[in-house]
Amino acid sequence: MTTHSAPCFFSHFCGDKGSLVRSAAFALSVVLAAGSPSSPWARGAEEPEAPPPAREFILETTDGISLAVRYFPAPGDEKPLATVILIHDLGGSSQDLVPLATALQQAGCAVIAPDLRGHGQSSIAAYKKAAPDGNESKLLKLPDFKAMAVTSGGRIRGQSDIRGDIESVRNWIKKRADEGKLDLDRIVVVGSGLGAAVAASWTVDDAAWPPIASGHQGGDVKGLVFVDPAFITKGFSIGPMLASEPVKSKLPILILAGGESRDAPKIFEQLKRSRVNAWLDSRLYDPKERTNSSPAKASDASLFYEQFDTKDRAGKPLRGDLLAAYTSSNPQHRTPASLMVGFITLIVNRPR
């Protein structure tokens, strides 16, 4: 695979590769010098402990889907930098995002990656016979996609009648939060391809839960990341979510796109309308002047667009899960994981 070390607004990790934990810095122009002792973001060079191994388990949705889930606990005894939900693309699975999950885990995040219904090990009984090759995703219909993201029914969320794929993951996170192991209010949702629409849809539904006497019931998402997002998949569209709060203008959003991404630029342009002076686009960087003509400074932006020209060995641009999971042995190369950690580090420390 090939990539380019073009300037970007998130810096790479300071220090050596062993100091990933919470060491991403935020920069507007060229990548900061690695390990610069004058950088306030630099950390010690000691080798971190190995992250805990991933766990695999099953969660049950209210409509009878046994959801296969991978969980990557954050290393160490401290609470995670963030709790990240990874949502794969159409036809993919959590297995495809393991490189991304591992990189985020090493950076101090707790990561939960489900196999969406009809994908991976999350089989749908009604489609099993019709898909002897195991590829149930090709049989999915609009109601199936809606069920991935739904959370509704009743007034008390913990007793809700309808809990889809991501809501089942969220309820598992809440139990860990009640035990003091995770933070429910530091959730970041990453969606690749179709997963971006699922992430946006669930985030809108999550925010719609009304407060009750004991406190708020939703609105826990701190930020969204769309990787090569698909605008519409078999009738399931991200469009209505782009016009609904908190996706429309409230939540910080990072869009990562390949050089030939079809829908990412369109989604970015629609979101820009509600964030007139709050967006930052890496494509507007002028290497001669070493400036970016976007209206927002990096520290003030709430909408970010970062373009990758990463290609496979055949020269074909990476898309969807392949782009999300791209890694590089060269620490000077920007990767989706490094940009996500920079984004997460920024937004979890911002006041709402």
Side-chain angles (χ1 to χ4, degrees):
M1 296 182 183
T2 59
T3 189
H4 302 284
S5 299
C8 59
F9 35 74
F10 293 115
S11 83
H12 278 255
F13 305 116
C14 294
D16 60 27
K17 199 171 179 76
S19 60
L20 285 170
V21 179
R22 304 186 188 182
S23 62
F26 191 70
L28 198 148
S29 58
V30 185
V31 172
L32 293 177
S36 170
S38 62
S39 170
W41 304 96
R43 296 292 187 268
E46 67 275 4
E47 284 295 322
E49 62 182 276
R55 293 169 45 199
E56 298 182 13
F57 53 90
I58 300 294
L59 297 175
E60 299 292 336
T61 67
T62 52
D63 61 342
I65 302 297
S66 295
L67 206 69
V69 178
R70 282 185 169 90
Y71 175 52
F72 301 77
D77 297 326
E78 296 183 14
K79 281 190 176 181
L81 173 64
T83 303
V84 182
I85 302 174
L86 295 186
I87 309 176
H88 61 77
D89 197 359
L90 179 69
S93 72
S94 60
Q95 176 64 43
D96 298 326
L97 298 180
V98 166
L100 173 59
T102 302
L104 294 175
Q105 178 192 36
Q106 291 174 338
C109 298
V111 184
I112 302 94
D115 287 351
L116 296 173
R117 61 184 60 209
H119 294 79
Q121 301 302 310
S122 299
S123 182
I124 300 176
Y127 296 158
K128 201 165 187 177
K129 288 185 179 180
D133 61 352
N135 184 13
E136 298 175 16
S137 65
K138 63 186 179 183
L139 303 175
L140 296 175
K141 302 176 178 64
L142 180 58
D144 298 311
F145 297 117
K146 289 182 176 180
M148 294 173 182
V150 69
T151 166
S152 63
R155 178 172 172 78
I156 307 301
R157 188 170 189 176
Q159 304 169 9
S160 60
D161 300 325
I162 305 173
R163 298 189 297 275
D165 301 7
I166 309 307
E167 181 70 1
S168 298
V169 171
R170 180 264 179 194
N171 285 354
W172 183 87
I173 294 172
K174 186 179 186 306
K175 289 180 181 179
R176 304 291 84 73
D178 291 344
E179 297 168 355
K181 297 177 181 178
L182 295 175
D183 282 330
L184 192 62
D185 61 351
R186 284 193 168 202
I187 292 178
V188 176
V189 189
V190 178
S192 167
L194 158 72
V198 175
S201 181
W202 177 80
T203 297
V204 169
D205 281 358
D206 167 70
W209 280 98
I212 55 177
S214 59
H216 74 278
Q217 297 188 96
D220 296 314
V221 176
K222 198 78 169 178
L224 290 168
V225 180
F226 299 153
V227 182
D228 189 30
F231 199 92
I232 187 167
T233 303
K234 295 187 178 183
F236 184 63
S237 175
I238 198 174
M241 305 308 117
L242 302 180
S244 303
E245 297 295 0
V247 176
K248 179 180 178 181
S249 63
K250 292 182 178 179
L251 279 179
I253 297 177
L254 169 63
I255 298 177
L256 303 178
E260 297 182 15
S261 178
R262 294 187 298 269
D263 294 337
K266 179 165 58 174
I267 291 170
F268 179 65
E269 290 300 320
Q270 183 165 336
L271 288 171
K272 277 171 56 178
R273 298 172 193 164
S274 300
R275 307 175 189 234
V276 179
N277 297 310
W279 55 269
L280 180 57
D281 187 344
S282 71
R283 296 170 296 179
L284 300 182
Y285 178 79
D286 184 334
K288 184 177 180 180
E289 299 295 329
R290 300 173 68 85
T291 59
N292 189 302
S293 57
S294 300
K297 293 182 179 180
S299 57
D300 301 323
S302 67
L303 176 64
F304 305 87
Y305 190 98
E306 180 71 27
Q307 182 167 298
F308 284 84
D309 294 320
T310 310
K311 300 178 181 179
D312 62 20
R313 290 184 176 87
K316 186 177 180 180
L318 298 185
R319 303 290 306 275
D321 291 343
L322 288 176
L323 178 60
Y326 170 74
T327 60
S328 174
S329 59
N330 186 339
Q332 296 303 314
H333 284 172
R334 59 196 174 117
T335 65
S338 66
L339 291 173
M340 287 182 205
V341 175
F343 173 73
I344 291 169
T345 301
L346 175 77
I347 65 173
V348 297
N349 293 312
R350 273 184 179 175
R352 287 224 177 184

